[in-house]
Amino acid sequence: MSTSDTHRAIEAVWRIEAARLIAGLTRIVRDVGIAEELAQDALVAALEKWPESGIPDNPGAWLMATAKHRALDHFRRNKLLERKHEELGRELKSQQESALANSDISEKGDIEDDLLRLVFISCHPILSTETRVALALRLLVG
């Protein structure tokens, strides 16, 4: 089967299976937008693999299986991203607490001297080193 014949067959399969595929994926992922993206990813995979390997016996099932694998990857990636965000949040909170513990700020968190307040603002640990230096030079040195 030539590549153009394969592409026509894929288009026909897509027209027949797209709605069912998106509906099944929506049930799994609970988001129509993500389901559409996963279905389109499965279509792209079919366009890449089927010209070489041939059209499978059950193309709809192949598309669904491919999309489900992509959904699992999506969930794993989101879970990992969520863990990383939590880690970064804890680290940032720890750095802020450490910076406050090492500073001479009163219990209320007030800094009485305006110039000293400006120094603390320009040296805040949330800023990158380059930003701290640039801000300190601009604000304090002029």
Side-chain angles (χ1 to χ4, degrees), residues 6-139:
T6 305
H7 283 271
R8 279 195 296 273
I10 292 171
E11 288 176 27
V13 167
W14 180 251
R15 271 187 254 113
I16 295 168
E17 298 291 336
R20 191 174 326 157
L21 183 64
I22 293 170
L25 291 168
T26 299
R27 179 180 44 82
I28 294 169
V29 298
R30 307 268 190 242
D31 187 321
V32 176
I34 294 173
E36 287 177 329
E37 288 179 25
L38 293 169
Q40 290 172 2
D41 286 347
L43 175 63
V44 169
L47 288 168
E48 292 172 350
K49 293 185 180 178
W50 290 1
E52 297 170 5
S53 64
I55 297 173
D57 293 335
N58 190 345
W62 189 95
L63 288 169
M64 180 58 87
T66 302
K68 282 181 179 180
H69 288 112
R70 303 280 167 118
L72 287 173
D73 292 344
H74 173 78
F75 288 138
R76 288 180 186 138
R77 185 174 41 255
N78 283 349
K79 191 169 188 136
L80 178 65
L81 197 60
E82 188 177 306
R83 277 197 311 254
K84 292 289 184 182
H85 284 160
E86 289 172 1
E87 262 181 53
L88 288 171
R90 283 192 302 271
E91 186 177 323
L92 181 61
K93 185 176 181 180
S94 172
Q95 288 177 353
Q96 288 174 342
E97 289 171 355
S98 175
L100 285 175
N102 293 335
S103 67
D104 293 330
I105 300 175
S106 68
E107 286 292 318
K108 296 185 294 183
D110 295 334
I111 302 173
E112 299 300 325
D113 184 357
D114 288 338
L115 190 57
L116 184 59
R117 183 179 301 115
L118 199 55
V119 169
F120 279 114
I121 289 171
S122 64
C123 295
H124 196 278
I126 199 168
L127 300 173
S128 69
T129 304
E130 295 83 17
T131 305
R132 286 186 225 167
V133 170
L135 191 59
L137 289 173
R138 191 177 125 236
L139 295 176

